[in-house]
Amino acid sequence: TPLPIQRDILAPHAGIVNAMDTKAIGMAMVAIGAGRRVATDQVDTGLGLTQVVQIGDLVAKGQPLAVAHVRTENQFVALQTGLLGAINIGESVASSELVYQVVDGKDLAS
């Protein structure tokens, strides 16, 4: 059954999604009960995020960054705060090296 609250978390401004702190997103999920801090914690498997934007996506102000699936308004606010703090929207995509190192036969020990 669907959770009572399914609500969009909206982009505060326009730009390009150029970074995500996935650990912070995970910890926001744990904070609302969607994950465990210790093995004995109960997990509410119905809680979560869907339709999450990806790095490189162009977003408009007010466009959904994700859909939150929660049981209470407090859970929504906590998840929204965590997600908005974990997603960086800027003017361009941060560049990163796609190839870290090339290994050829000369680099291998005999």
Side-chain angles (χ1 to χ4, degrees):
T1 60
L3 293 178
I5 300 173
Q6 295 180 38
R7 189 179 313 156
D8 293 340
I9 297 175
L10 305 176
H13 56 86
I16 298 172
V17 177
N18 62 20
M20 286 188 186
D21 183 343
T22 54
K23 181 178 180 182
I25 294 170
M27 295 310 294
M29 298 287 288
V30 168
I32 66 164
R36 292 185 174 101
R37 288 190 177 97
V38 295
T40 56
D41 285 350
Q42 294 295 313
V43 175
D44 185 340
T45 58
L47 302 176
L49 293 168
T50 59
Q51 301 175 35
V52 181
V53 293
Q54 302 296 309
I55 292 175
D57 286 353
L58 179 64
V59 296
K61 180 179 180 178
Q63 177 180 334
L65 297 176
V67 178
H69 301 266
V70 295
R71 297 188 187 285
T72 69
E73 185 65 25
N74 286 343
Q75 287 175 331
F76 176 77
V77 170
L79 195 51
Q80 174 179 247
T81 300
L83 188 71
L84 292 177
I87 293 179
N88 188 47
I89 301 170
E91 297 296 315
S92 63
V93 176
S95 64
S96 63
E97 293 183 38
L98 295 177
V99 177
Y100 176 72
Q101 181 180 10
V102 176
V103 177
D104 59 24
K106 297 177 215 168
D107 298 329
L108 302 175
S110 306

